[in-house]
Structure formats: structure tokens, C-alpha cells
């Protein structure tokens, strides 16, 4: 039954194409079902949450009335966090280079700094600054004090991040730079640090998102950020739960926003490389 | 006889307690191509890396192009400057290429001249493009290293080293990390460089290259030069049994 262009082969070709399409449709279907299931889980969690909140007997009109006042703290929170992370980056760069240096002063000072600051709670450091600086004759207004406290604290943690990023750059890069006749500074600036940033930037993004919440502690220095305002209104009106929930909601929203930005930044940085995605088997 | 461009006397190097170089002594004439062979662990890479102070020897004397290497001296600012000066007159090509991944090929090539020798960008780019053309990579000048094959990467690395106008080129197993079919294109560039009169020290297992291009083969064993001589001498009738055994293994 053979004609020209063997028909059995043509039909086989169609079969292969059809099976491939079937597989693609099947995969799409499974993904849609998964998304629906996850959404149901979230809806369930929200329902449970709302029930719990209902049991708290919240005064929603009160919450609505003071939301604008509390919301004004969001700007200050973000401002303080950005300021502090920037200063922390500078401290971290100095710290990391010192940690890797053979100079005893630099090495000794940086290891001590990292150990002390990572070994004490942030809240304790904030209170030491609050109570201690005036005794040394240093009077700072609230926001600078807050930024300093957060930078010093995060600088210690980020020193290790920067150090890890630098040490992840392959040794051959350093050797190539030196054989061309570069100085240590030229090598770090032009060869090592640009490559270290691939690790440092995503990690710093994570630190920033953490700092958004840690910034709440500078309320104790008198900064009128998000948590401070929530506390103020809450205590004045004996309605702490309401105001804290509002503050919590704002922190959450800001975090989600910046996590989205960070995701986009990471995708941009990963251009031209292949990332590990979830494989469960 | 011309003044040697490299004089190595009794060079010693320890890695912790391991004696890697045990008194290496030899001389290299300007324009000479010296191929260094030996078993792994014999110290050949270390020898090369001592010459531009990527490794610090513990003993001996080295003269590079009239300058004495500051072996064992404290790294003051003056000493560091001296080391940089010596390095700018030597080029090194690595087994792992070590191109700067965040820079394009032409940017890699001009990095040395612009940053270290403070050459103007335009002049460096012109010279760089000439060099890339010479190694056959002109079309790839705006590509990034990860877009190149191994052989292309190594040729780019050679161009980068040559951009500094060195008087001596050091090659540390330049083809060992390459797929076999890519080795040839790199060896051809190295041969052309030799024909132009460059002083070259090459650590390699490519005996075909050694026979064709080398003026002298040095056989390193246990951190010492066991024997050295012309390619015909070393490869066809070496003095030592060990040399013969080694050559049989890598043929």
C-alpha cells in the first residue's frame, strides 16, 4: 500500500506532534490546578485570621480614623532604612577589606567590631546609644541617632557578607590582575569587587528587607516612624491591638513591595546565567 | 654571547614544609624559547610563578632584564613599586585563562595598558584591535569571555598579555585545559610569537610544540633541573633514565 512519501511515516509524524501538544496542554493544566489549590489555601488562612481578629473585638472606625497618621511613618521607616543600609555598606566594605588584610590594626579592629556587634542584641545597642551618647557629651537628634545605630549593627553582619563575596572571586582573577602589574587597590576596584557584587547585592537586598522591620526599634530613640506612631496612638486611646495590626499590615506591604524589586534586580543580575530552580526529584 | 635576559641562581621555594624548588639554576637568552617539562609536583609552575613574584621564593637570586627580584625583602612601598615595574615587562598566560568575565574582550586587552601604564584609551584600543587581529579574534572584540570557546579565550589572554609590550612571556600549561581540537590554534599563535623573537618560558606537555619551536628543553624533577638541552638531545637521547621514562609517558 506504499505510495510516494510513505503515508505510514506521515501519520507517525502527526502522532508525534499530537503527543507533544498533549504533553504541553497537560503541563499547563496541572500548573493551573496548582495555582487554584494554593489560592484556596491562602483564602482558608485569611478566613482563619479574620475569625481570630473578630474575636479581638476590634474598633474598625477607630482604625480607619488613625490610619493616615500611622501611615505617615512609612516614609520615615523607608528613609531611615535606606540611609542605614547605605552607611552599613560603607562600614561593611571597610570591615571586609580589613578582615582580609595582614595589617594587625585593621584586622584586630574589624574582628573585634564584628564579634562585639554580632554578639549583642540590637535593642541593647540602641539603648546604649540612647543613654550613653549624651553622657559623652554627644547630643544627636533622633533620626541621625537611629541611622547610626542601625548602620553600626548591620555593618557588622554585612562585613561577613562582603568578605564572603570577595573570597568567592576566583584566585586566578587576582593573579591575572597582578601579572598585568596592578596594585592591590586597582585589583580590588577593577577586578575583584565588581565580581564580588554578584553575591553581595542579593544578600544586601535581604539585609535591607530585614532592616525595614528592625527599624521599628529606633522608635525608642524617638524617631516618629511606623511603630512609634502606632504605639503613640494606641496607648493614648487604650487601643493598642488595633494600631499594632495596622502597623503590621504596613510593614508587610512595604516588605512585599521591596521583595518584588529585589526579585527584578536579581533577575537582571542573573542575565546570561542559568539559575537553579526547584527540582524535587 | 649576549647578556642573558633571565638569570636564576639556586632558587629555593617551600610550601609550608614541602621543598618545591630545591636550588634551580639556569639562564635564558633574549629571544630564547625554553620549554619546561616535568612530572606534576616537580615545581615547574612554581618556578614560573616565582619569576614574576606571584610566589615568593625563600632563597636564591633572580635577575630579570637587568633588575634583581626583591627576594626575601620586606614589602615596603618601594619594593612593591619595583615588583610592579618588573611585572609590567613580563606577560603571563594561565592554564585557566583568567580573563575578566565582567569585561568584553577588547576591554580585557586594554585593561593593562590603560590602568597600569596610563595609556590613552584611544591608543590602547587601536593597539588592542591590532593584537586581536593578530591572534585572529578581531570579530570577537565586543563579545564577553563566556561567549568564547576555550581556544579563543586563551588567544584573547595572550593578546591581553602582549598588550603590555612585555619582553618576556610566561606560559603556564596554556593548553592543558583545552579540548584537543582547540589546542592547535593556541600553539600556532605561540609559534608565531616565537618566530617574532619573543623570549618565552613555556610549561607544557605538548612535545610536538617543544620539538618544533623550543630552543631548549628543561626537565625539572624534585625541584631541581635534572637535565636540559636542545629538543633533539632531550627527546631523542636524554642522559637520564627518569627523563626517558617521563617522555614515554607523555608521548
Amino acid at each position: 500500500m506504499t505510495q510516494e512519501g510513505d503515508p505510514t511515516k506521515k501519520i507517525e509524524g502527526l502522532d508525534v506532534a499530537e503527543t507533544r501538544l498533549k504533553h504541553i496542554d497537560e503541563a499547563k493544566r496541572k500548573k493551573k490546578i496548582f495555582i487554584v489549590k494554593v489560592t484556596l489555601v491562602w483564602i482558608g488562612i485569611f478566613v482563619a485570621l479574620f475569625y481570630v481578629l473578630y474575636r479581638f473585638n476590634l474598633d474598625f472606625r477607630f482604625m480607619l480614623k488613625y490610619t493616615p497618621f500611622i501611615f505617615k511613618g512609612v516614609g520615615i521607616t523607608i528613609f531611615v532604612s535606606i540611609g542605614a543600609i547605605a552607611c552599613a555598606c560603607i562600614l561593611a566594605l571597610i570591615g571586609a577589606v580589613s578582615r582580609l588584610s595582614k595589617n594587625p590594626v585593621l584586622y584586630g579592629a574589624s574582628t573585634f567590631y564584628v564579634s562585639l556587634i554580632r554578639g549583642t542584641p540590637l535593642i541593647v545597642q540602641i539603648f546604649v546609644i540612647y543613654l550613653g551618647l549624651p553622657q559623652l557629651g554627644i547630643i544627636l537628634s533622633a533620626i541621625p541617632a537611629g541611622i547610626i545605630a542601625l548602620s553600626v549593627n548591620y555593618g557588622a553582619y554585612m562585613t561577613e557578607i562582603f568578605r564572603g563575596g570577595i573570597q568567592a572571586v576566583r584566585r586566578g582573577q587576582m593573579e591575572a590582575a597582578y601579572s598585568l602589574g596592578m596594585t592591590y587597590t586597582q585589583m580590588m576596584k577593577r577586578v575583584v569587587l565588581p565580581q564580588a557584587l554578584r553575591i553581595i547585592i542579593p544578600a544586601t537586598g535581604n539585609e535591607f528587607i530585614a532592616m525595614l522591620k528592625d527599624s521599628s526599634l529606633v522608635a525608642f530613640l524617638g524617631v516618629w516612624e511606623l511603630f512609634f506612631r502606632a504605639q503613640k496612638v494606641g496607648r493614648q486611646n487604650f487601643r493598642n491591638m488595633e494600631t499594632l495590626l495596622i502597623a503590621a499590615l504596613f510593614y508587610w506591604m512595604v516588605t512585599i513591595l521591596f521583595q518584588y524589586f529585589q526579585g527584578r534586580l536579581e533577575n537582571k543580575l542573573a542575565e546570561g546565567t542559568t539559575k537553579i530552580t526547584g527540582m524535587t526529584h | 654571547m649576549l647578556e642573558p635576559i633571565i638569570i636564576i641562581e639556586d632558587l629555593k621555594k617551600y610550601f609550608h614544609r614541602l621543598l618545591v624548588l630545591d636550588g634551580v639554576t639556569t639562564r635564558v637568552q633574549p629571544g630564547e624559547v625554553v620549554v619546561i617539562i616535568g612530572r606534576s609536583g616537580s615545581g615547574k609552575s612554581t618556578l614560573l610563578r616565582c619569576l614574576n613574584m606571584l610566589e615568593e621564593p625563600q632563597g636564591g637570586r633572580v635577575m630579570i632584564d637587568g633588575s634583581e627580584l626583591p627576594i626575601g625583602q620586606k614589602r615596603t612601598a618601594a619594593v612593591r613599586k619595583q615588583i610592579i615595574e618588573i611585572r609590567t615587562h613580563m606577560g603571563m598566560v594561565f592554564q585557566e585563562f583568567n580573563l575578566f568575565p565582567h569585561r568584553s574582550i577588547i576591554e580585557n586587552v586594554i585593561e593593562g595598558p590603560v590602568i597600569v601604564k596610563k595609556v590613552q584609551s584611544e591608543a590602547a584600543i587601536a593597539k588592542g584591535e591590532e593584537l586581536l587581529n593578530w591572534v585572529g579574534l578581531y570579530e570577537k572584540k565586543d563579545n564577553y569571555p563566556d561567549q568564547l570557546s576555550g581556544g579563543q579565550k586563551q588567544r584573547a589572554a595572550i593578546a591581553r598579555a602582549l598588550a603590555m609590550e612585555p619582553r618576556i612571556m610566561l606560559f603556564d600549561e596554556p593548553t592543558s585545559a583545552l579540548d584537543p581540537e582547540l589546542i592547535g590554534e593556541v600553539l600556532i599563535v605561540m609559534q608565531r610569537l616565537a618566530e617574532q623573537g619573543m623570549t618565552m618560558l613555556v610549561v607544557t606537555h605538548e612535545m610536538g610544540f617543544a620539538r618544533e619551536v623550543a630552543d631548549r628543553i628543561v626537565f625539572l624533577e624534585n625541584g631541581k633541573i635534572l637535565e636540559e638541552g636542545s629538543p633533539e638531545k632531550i627527546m631523542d637521547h636524554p642522559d637520564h633514565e627518569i627523563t626517558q621514562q617521563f617522555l614515554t609517558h607523555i608521548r
Side-chain angles (χ1 to χ4, degrees):
Chain A
M1 263 262 292
T2 35
Q3 303 154 7
E4 52 180 1
D6 194 350
T8 45
K9 246 212 194 132
K10 265 203 194 135
I11 294 172
E12 273 174 36
L14 258 172
D15 274 344
V16 170
E18 257 182 50
T19 336
R20 215 182 297 150
L21 277 172
K22 264 212 202 112
H23 281 156
I24 295 177
D25 283 339
E26 181 69 23
K28 276 196 188 152
R29 220 174 51 98
K30 283 203 176 135
K31 189 163 185 212
K32 281 196 183 136
I33 292 180
F34 180 75
I35 293 178
V36 167
K37 284 187 183 166
V38 168
T39 313
L40 282 174
V41 169
W42 283 348
I43 291 176
I45 294 177
F46 268 112
V47 167
L49 261 180
F50 275 123
Y51 175 67
V52 170
L53 292 179
Y54 169 74
R55 294 290 300 271
F56 285 153
N57 242 326
L58 300 171
D59 182 350
F60 289 106
R61 269 179 37 207
F62 172 82
M63 283 168 77
L64 234 57
K65 181 172 169 207
Y66 282 101
T67 294
F69 176 77
I70 298 175
F71 178 75
K72 285 206 188 112
V74 170
I76 311 279
T77 292
I78 295 180
F79 175 77
V80 166
S81 301
I82 292 183
I85 205 82
C87 295
C89 281
I90 297 173
L91 280 174
L93 182 58
I94 300 173
V97 170
S98 306
R99 286 274 271 124
L100 294 168
S101 137
K102 295 208 180 90
N103 179 313
V105 172
L106 291 177
Y107 180 80
S110 56
T111 28
F112 181 79
Y113 164 61
V114 170
S115 172
L116 177 68
I117 300 298
R118 293 204 311 177
T120 48
L122 173 56
I123 184 103
V124 169
Q125 292 164 19
I126 285 181
F127 274 107
V128 166
I129 288 177
Y130 177 66
L131 300 168
L133 282 187
Q135 293 199 22
L136 295 173
I138 306 173
I139 312 287
L140 282 174
S141 54
I143 289 184
I147 293 182
I148 289 177
L150 286 171
S151 323
V152 168
N153 179 271
Y154 271 65
Y157 292 92
M158 286 170 62
T159 292
E160 293 303 284
I161 291 176
F162 274 57
R163 183 175 68 90
I166 289 172
Q167 288 185 312
V169 177
R170 307 176 73 196
R171 190 154 177 257
Q173 291 292 302
M174 195 178 83
E175 294 180 344
Y178 278 145
S179 349
L180 287 173
M182 286 195 197
T183 62
Y184 177 78
T185 312
Q186 288 168 336
M187 173 199 74
M188 288 298 274
K189 216 178 95 176
R190 304 221 25 119
V191 175
V192 172
L193 283 174
Q195 296 183 61
L197 284 178
R198 285 219 183 121
I199 293 187
I200 291 175
I201 288 183
T204 300
N206 286 339
E207 292 293 295
F208 175 71
I209 289 188
M211 184 180 288
L212 283 170
K213 272 82 74 193
D214 269 342
S215 67
S216 57
L217 294 173
V218 303
F220 294 108
L221 288 171
V223 180
W224 283 49
E225 44 73 67
L226 190 46
F227 175 67
F228 180 92
R229 287 166 181 257
Q231 279 276 72
K232 185 168 164 50
V233 171
R235 273 210 236 117
Q236 278 172 352
N237 297 281
F238 299 98
R239 286 249 165 231
N240 284 299
M241 182 60 77
E242 282 86 340
T243 55
L244 287 176
L245 287 177
I246 296 175
L249 191 62
F250 282 138
Y251 276 115
W252 194 7
M253 283 161 55
V254 171
T255 299
I256 292 178
L257 179 70
F258 278 102
Q259 257 179 323
Y260 168 71
F261 286 146
Q262 188 188 341
R264 285 189 52 178
L265 180 64
E266 281 189 19
N267 284 337
K268 185 110 205 300
L269 283 176
E271 263 170 13
T273 63
T274 336
K275 283 173 80 167
I276 297 177
T277 54
M279 273 177 78
T280 55
H281 54 279
Chain B
M1 191 156 151
L2 296 155
E3 272 297 307
I5 196 170
I6 300 179
I7 301 177
I8 303 173
E9 270 172 23
D10 201 30
L11 193 62
K12 286 204 169 64
K13 168 77 186 158
Y14 283 88
F15 276 124
H16 303 294
R17 292 197 302 188
L18 187 64
L19 185 60
V20 176
L21 292 178
D22 189 7
V24 174
T25 298
T26 189
R27 292 167 174 232
V28 179
Q29 299 295 125
E32 208 185 342
V33 176
V34 179
V35 166
I36 303 170
I37 60 175
R39 296 192 283 197
S40 61
S42 58
K44 13 186 239 297
S45 278
T46 310
L47 174 59
L48 226 56
R49 293 149 67 88
C50 281
L51 294 181
N52 66 356
M53 296 288 275
L54 278 184
E55 305 281 0
E56 174 106 30
Q58 271 84 36
R61 263 186 79 224
V62 178
M63 280 269 274
I64 305 273
D65 202 6
S67 305
E68 176 119 5
L69 282 188
I71 295 173
Q73 287 184 33
K74 202 159 155 253
R75 294 279 180 111
T76 61
V79 168
R80 284 201 299 261
K81 206 161 165 235
Q82 195 192 350
I83 293 176
I84 287 176
E85 178 69 26
I86 293 174
R87 281 177 179 163
T88 55
H89 292 124
M90 289 200 283
M92 186 148 187
V93 175
F94 301 86
Q95 183 176 347
E96 299 296 333
F97 331 123
N98 291 334
L99 289 172
F100 304 135
H102 56 300
R103 300 248 189 274
S104 68
I105 297 301
I106 183 69
E107 285 169 346
N108 259 274
V109 172
I110 67 171
E111 185 79 6
V114 169
I115 300 299
V116 179
K117 291 169 92 166
K118 315 280 192 234
V119 171
Q120 290 279 24
S121 233
E122 300 81 35
I125 291 177
K127 177 99 201 297
E129 289 181 350
E130 224 183 275
L131 277 170
L132 284 175
N133 190 33
W134 189 76
V135 302
L137 284 175
Y138 182 80
E139 313 79 47
K140 300 281 183 186
K141 66 184 173 81
D142 294 317
N143 287 79
Y144 279 78
D146 64 355
Q147 296 167 321
L148 266 54
S149 74
Q152 291 168 329
K153 280 195 255 226
Q154 196 61 298
R155 286 186 277 143
I158 294 175
R160 179 178 65 172
L162 289 175
M164 293 292 284
E165 297 178 333
R167 294 201 60 195
I168 301 168
M169 283 286 279
L170 306 171
F171 292 84
D172 189 358
E173 305 214 32
T175 57
S176 295
L178 294 176
D179 288 336
E181 67 268 20
L182 301 174
I183 293 179
E185 64 195 62
V186 174
L187 293 180
I188 288 174
V189 168
M190 289 168 65
Q191 180 165 4
R192 286 164 62 196
L193 193 58
E195 283 161 9
Q196 287 194 345
M198 175 68 75
T199 311
M200 293 165 59
L201 270 74
V202 183
V203 172
T204 187
H205 299 299
E206 294 293 319
M207 298 315 296
F209 174 84
R211 192 188 280 281
E212 281 294 309
V213 184
D215 296 309
R216 175 160 48 115
I217 296 184
V218 167
F219 178 64
L220 219 58
E221 170 77 5
N222 283 336
K224 282 205 264 266
I225 295 180
L226 191 60
E227 59 177 305
E228 55 182 324
S230 71
E232 296 71 39
K233 168 83 179 24
I234 298 290
M235 291 175 67
D236 295 333
H237 26 263
D239 291 333
H240 294 256
E241 179 67 26
I242 302 180
T243 318
Q244 184 58 64
Q245 278 181 357
F246 172 78
L247 286 169
T248 333
H249 280 141
I250 64 173
R251 286 269 170 81

